[in-house]
Structures are given as structure tokens and as C-alpha cells.
DNA sequence: TATGAATGAGTCTTCATTCAT
DNA sequence: GATGAATGAAGACTCATTCAT
């Protein structure tokens, strides 16, 4: 029962991911998603209240999985620098290996109302918090500057990585995203001043 | 003569800026923009081919002005660190003092097709290049690391600032954006490692 | 099953026939046709791609029925003169008894692009061919002149009848159309010379 | 003064003829006609009340010239058969030599409301009457059947010729229209029966 | 008279959502 | 639960017509 219900639910989300990634949110008709998911149009409304919910849920689901991966990877790493490196590596490789998801997170998710943007901000929160915790831990360990403005720097870190991914995507993915990890982390840790 | 022809054009762009900022691109009816601009619906189509053109032109126009300001400000500053500080300061203060524009650049402009995203990327280019030139200059002066990956770092800088602005906007502008300049630049220059 | 799917299709065509006949193609709003057909505006687009398709399909459907009647009537008549008389009789009586259809065929169908005119020409073809076959048969039987230019005369026959119907319609249908059959056929067969 | 006024008036009608012939009435924007005529959009409204008036006046003007030609040609011909031949010859050759006009009379003029169709019917009247007079004259001379239904036959004649022209036009003018005169007149005079 | 920028009413078409089966 | 035919609100865009210059 539950599994069957979950089954269609997942099929619809997979369909939405494909269609959103290819056409963008506003140009993705519900009927197209239904076809991609192999269900009837109306069926979608048994699992999702509105079209926008598809985006939100897709995002929560996928981001949840990602955050889980981040947490799993970092949990057993005591060295915060190494942990930060791992976070960036996962951030880049996961999206590089899942272009559809990258499209949705970098392009489609932004195509939404202020209201939805707030929703999205909320869902990103755990990831931002994870970064923040790393920063705090680093400060406590004396590895990071003691006067670090963690609230600001967590944004700077996330924004920097985010832009790298978006730029890579828009450029047509002509280079390796994973190849940017070292450069990114080096910048984070040491800045640009000699 | 010229001013008169330009007059309506500007009025329409101003109207579009207001309406886009308040409602977002997709929920902004052309008729609402016309009303805000004080012209008839049809008049808009004498100056712009499609609704989307409003967004593109608005963006080009405003971004052009911004880039001009950046260039003017930086031109006579020899100290690249100071120049970078100035760039960040302008980036934050300009958007803080022009919330409507901030809304459009941070939220609405992203609400567009891949195609338009590419357009936008093109228009951001001069700004990115300006940052890149600063980086190169700094490397040459020996102020920045000699092995700096300027192509990567310019993205990191831009992305970091961009995220700070967006986050400030989404949070409801509860704190001073200009107040983040020092922290941001400090991060850029020195990184986070102790 | 089939009947149900066809049902709405037919209802829409009937609605279109009524509205086109009353207001003409260009002044017939789709919403008015929908109301006349007892369906929602959008429903029309489940069965027809564009408004113009309504005209084309209506025409094909109705003309097809007419041509069928012509063929059925003539099939068992060996005397070509009698057959020609029958054709003219059906031509006049069918349109006299179906004023809405007459409006559409004589007035609205002509209100269309060159492109559509060609479509219409194609659909009239079977009728023109039927007349041509009668002429050929008559020549073979020695009932019609041996040197008859059938390609030309079939047009002359059709054009003559067509004009009579249009004139009758435009005049306000003040006389009997069926009453013109004998005069028409007499003209066809014997000409006007003493 | 008058000549100058007439000059623009004529230029506009010429422009309208060209544009209507090329694009058809409904797809001919007033601005396009203005450009073709070399005047401003508004100028057209100094000479014509509505767009539809362009069609009506164009039609009256051109048809008036044609009817004049018919009358001039027929005036001095006593032999009604010869006169009828002349009428058909002019009908075909004039339109064959003036394809734009042919387009307008055969295609565009029909693209109009019932109301306009009536107008057109009125303007055709002199031509129809001219044919009728020939028929009456022929009957009086004993050249045509004494019991000829002139009201009906004038329609049959006009309709037949009209269809030949339209068919020639739609077919792409692949054969000579003037070459159909003899066949047409033969049909009119002698009918098709052996 | 002539202009052409401005107007704004008018309409086709799309597509998210519903609901009878 | 599942379907998909039906709905109808919504809105971008066109273009005949006007009128200030």
C-alpha cells in the first residue's frame, strides 16, 4: 500500500525532474510531466496540491538526499579543513554527475516567486547550517580565525560554490566541475592576498 | 526631440522596474506596467517587441549604468586591494539604495529561460571582466598570489557577493548590506584559515 | 464510445455553422461558437487546432455529404440530360432548404486566404469531377456535342449555378431557388440562340 | 487643388490595390497600405472613412472603368452575338492583363460582410444590366429565344464567366484566359446539347 | 492638409485544475 | 485510487482609428 503510493509519488517526481530540467518550470506543462511519469494528469493532483508543489517537493527530496550525503561524509572527519574540502567535492561532483538535478537547482528553482524563494531558502538551511557548524568547529579548534563572522562567511562560501556551478552549467559544461575543488578550497582557506 | 522619444522609453522601463520588483516577471501583466508607466498598453509595443524585451532592456540599461560606476570608481585607484574594496562597496551600497533594482537583478532576472540566462551572462561579462582585470593587476603587482586562477576566483568573488545580496534581500533586508563590505573583503583577501 | 467522442465534435461544428452563417467568419468569436455548441471555449481546442480549422472541417463535412447525395442521385440515371437536371435540382434545393449552409458555402467560405481558397477548391473537386463525368458520358452517348470542351464547360455550369445561388441569397431569398432549375438546365442544354 | 486632392486619393487606391492583391483584405494593415501609397497612416482617413471604404471605392472605381469600357465597346455593335462575344473578350482580357485587379475582384472582394456583399452587388449592377440589355435586344431582334428568362440568364452568363476567371486565378494562371472566349460564347449561344 | 505617435478595445489560445466515471 | 475529458480564467499582442502638432 504505502509502497505503491510512494511508487507513483516517486515516478511523478522523476518525471518532473526530467521535464523541468529540459524545459524549465514555466514552460513545463503538467500534462507533459504526467506523460513523462506515466500517469494521468489528474493523478498528479492526488499527490501534489499545485504545480508549484512539484518543484518544492522535488527540491526538498533531492536536497534532503544531498544534505544527508554531506552529513554522512563529514560526520567522521575531525579535520575541519578536510571536511570543508569534502563538502565542496561533494557539492561539485554530485551536480556534475546529475545534470538534470543541477539544472533544477541552479536554474529552475530560481524561477519562482518571492514566496517560493523563501521556501527554498528554508530548505537550503540545513546545508548552510552544516557549513556553519564546520566553521564554528574550526574556530573552536583554532584552525580558523577566532573573529570569523560565521553568519557572513557561510553565505560567502555557499554563494561562491553556487556561482561556480551555475557558470559551469551555463557555459555548456565544457570543463570539469570537480576539477575546481582545489582552487575553490584554496581560495576559501587562504584568500587571494599573497 | 531625442529626449522626447527617449522619454516614453524611459517611463516604460521605470514602470517595468517597479512592477517587476513588486510582483515578479511572470506575474506582472503588461497592462499593469503600462499603467505604472502612464501609457497605453499598445504604446509599450512601439518601443519593445515582446514583454521579455522589457526585462532584457531594463537589465542592460541598469547594469550598464552600474558597470559604468564601477569603472569610474576604480579607474584612479592604483592599490588593487583598495580597488577591490571599492568594488564590493559599490556592489552592496548601490543595491541597498535601490531595492527595486536589487529585486530585479537578484530575483526576477533569474526567472527566465536558459536562453535569457545566457543573455544575462553576456551582460554581466563586463563586470566579471573588470574584476578579472583587478585580479590580474594584483598578481602583476605581486599583491596577490602569483598562481591565482583568475578565471575561477573572479567567479568565486562575484558569486560570494551575489549570494550575500540575495540572502539580504530574501531575509527582508533586516540588516545593513553595506556593513558586510569589510567582512567580505577580509574573506576575499585573507581567507578563513588562521 | 465513438458516438460520444463524435458527439461534441458534431455539436461544435453545428454551433460553428450557426454562428458563421449569422455573423460571418471574421466576426464570429470562438467564445460565441462555444456557447452555441454548449461547450467551454477550451473544449473547442480539444477537437480543432485553430479557429480556421472549424471552417475547413465544417466545409469538408458538409460538402462531403452533399457530394454523396449527388452521387447517390445520379448513379442510377442513364439519361445524362435527366442526370444534369437532377444535379441542378439537388444543388438548388439542398441550399434552399439549408440556408445556414448556403451562407457558409456562398459567403463565408470565400472569406479566406488564397491558401484556404485552394483547400476549398480541392474539396469542390469531387463535385466538379462528377459534372465532368456526366459531360463525358453525354459526349460518348452522342447526346452532347462531340467537340465539347469539358474542362471549360464544367466550370461554366458550376459557375452559373453558383452565381444563381449567391444572387438568390444576397437578394434576401425573395423567390424560389428550386424554381430556377428548368430555366438553368434549358440554358445549359440549348443555349440562348434561337 | 482638386487635382492634388485627387492625386493622393488615387495614390492611396493604387497602394490599396497592390497590398490587397498581395495579402488579401483582412491581412492588409492600413499602415502597409499607407506605406505603399507613400502617405502617412492618418492621411488615409482624410480620404476614406474606414478601411472597408478602401475596398468599396477601389472596387467602384475600377469596376466603373471596366463598365465604361464595356459600354464603349458595345455601343456601336449592332450584332448582339458579336456584342456578347466582345463583352466576354473584354471581361477575360482585362482581368488577364491586370492580375492585381483580378485578385481583388475575384478573391478579396468576396472577403467581406454580407453588408459589403450587397454593396458589391449594387456596383456590379451596371454590368449585369448591360448584359441584360443585350439579351433584351437580342430577343427583340429575334436572334435569341423569345421566351428567354433574361433575369435568370444574365446571372448564368455572369456567373459562368466569373467562375472561369476565378478558377484560372486559383490554378495559378497556367493557361490563357482570353483563349476561353470562344468556348464560353459557344456554350452561351448553343448550349451543350447536340 | 499632412503627419505618425499614441491609443485601447478586442480575441484567440493556453494550460492548471477539477470531477464524473 | 486512477483517469483524462472538460473547464474557463487569464493575458499578451494587434491594429484600426484618432488627434495634437
Amino acid at each position: 500500500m504505502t509502497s505503491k503510493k510512494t511508487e507513483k509519488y516517486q515516478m511523478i517526481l522523476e518525471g518532473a525532474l526530467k521535464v523541468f530540467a529540459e524545459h524549465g518550470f514555466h514552460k513545463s506543462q503538467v500534462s507533459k510531466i504526467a506523460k513523462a511519469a506515466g500517469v494521468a494528469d489528474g493523478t498528479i493532483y492526488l499527490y501534489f496540491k499545485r504545480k508549484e508543489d512539484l518543484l518544492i517537493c522535488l527540491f526538498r527530496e533531492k536536497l534532503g538526499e544531498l544534505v544527508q550525503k554531506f552529513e554522512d561524509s563529514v560526520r567522521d572527519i575531525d579535520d575541519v579543513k578536510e571536511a570543508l574540502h569534502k563538502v565542496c567535492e561533494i557539492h561539485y561532483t554530485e551536480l556534475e554527475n546529475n545534470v538534470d538535478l543541477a539544472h533544477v537547482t541552479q536554474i529552475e528553482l530560481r524561477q519562482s516567486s518571492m514566496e517560493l524563494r523563501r521556501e527554498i531558502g528554508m530548505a537550503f538551511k540545513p546545508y548552510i547550517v552544516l557549513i556553519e557548524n564546520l566553521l564554528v568547529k574550526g574556530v573552536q579548534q583554532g584552525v580558523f580565525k577566532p573573529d570569523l563572522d560565521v553568519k557572513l562567511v557561510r553565505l560567502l562560501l555557499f554563494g561562491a560554490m553556487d556561482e561556480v556551478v551555475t557558470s559551469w552549467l551555463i557555459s555548456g559544461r565544457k570543463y570539469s566541475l570537480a576539477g575546481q575543488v582545489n582552487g575553490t578550497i584554496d581560495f576559501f582557506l587562504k584568500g587571494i592576498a599573497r
Side-chain angles (χ1 to χ4, degrees), chain A:
Chain A
M1 274 296 154
T2 316
S3 73
K4 193 162 192 182
K5 184 172 181 177
T6 300
E7 199 181 323
K8 293 238 171 197
Y9 178 87
Q10 287 301 336
M11 283 164 64
I12 292 169
L13 278 189
E14 294 302 324
L17 177 57
K18 256 182 230 158
V19 178
F20 285 162
E22 188 174 1
H23 300 96
F25 180 70
H26 282 103
K27 291 184 180 169
S28 294
Q29 296 97 315
V30 172
S31 64
K32 206 173 278 179
I33 295 170
K35 189 164 291 178
V39 301
D41 295 19
T43 305
I44 288 181
Y45 288 86
L46 295 176
Y47 296 94
F48 303 90
K49 197 160 192 196
R50 296 176 298 148
K51 181 187 172 188
E52 216 175 37
D53 283 357
L54 282 170
L55 195 56
I56 296 175
C57 290
L58 185 57
F59 164 77
R60 279 214 195 103
E61 198 100 347
K62 293 296 178 182
L63 199 70
E65 292 173 14
L66 268 188
V67 168
Q68 196 55 50
K69 281 192 185 170
F70 283 125
E71 287 178 345
D72 290 349
S73 307
V74 166
R75 186 173 302 121
D76 301 326
I77 303 177
D78 269 332
D79 183 338
V80 287
K81 288 183 180 179
E82 194 190 330
L84 206 57
H85 193 283
K86 193 73 190 170
V87 164
C88 183
E89 187 187 309
I90 294 177
H91 192 135
Y92 287 179
T93 54
E94 281 293 329
L95 292 178
E96 182 160 32
N97 294 330
N98 201 337
V99 178
D100 279 353
L101 180 59
H103 262 281
V104 170
T105 60
Q106 305 305 120
I107 311 283
E108 306 317 327
L109 275 179
R110 326 283 163 127
Q111 288 188 36
S112 41
S113 58
M114 198 64 186
E115 206 178 335
L116 183 48
R117 286 301 297 253
R118 234 181 280 274
E119 272 274 4
I120 291 170
M122 295 301 289
F124 267 132
K125 206 64 186 284
Y127 181 38
I128 303 273
V129 165
L130 179 142
I131 294 177
E132 184 176 348
N133 288 340
L134 274 184
L135 292 175
V136 170
K137 192 170 164 192
V139 170
Q140 287 169 348
Q141 291 180 355
V143 179
F144 296 154
K145 297 170 192 287
D147 59 343
L148 208 62
D149 181 346
V150 290
K151 302 286 184 196
L152 174 61
V153 169
R154 64 182 186 178
L155 284 181
L156 295 167
L157 297 186
F158 175 77
M161 290 189 291
D162 190 61
E163 182 66 23
V164 170
V165 176
T166 298
S167 181
W168 162 81
L169 204 59
I170 289 179
S171 76
R173 315 193 308 277
K174 300 202 172 127
Y175 51 92
S176 161
L177 190 50
Q180 312 302 315
V181 174
N182 286 334
T184 302
I185 290 301
D186 213 52
F187 167 76
F188 287 168
L189 293 179
K190 305 185 210 152
I192 60 178
R194 173 187 275 260

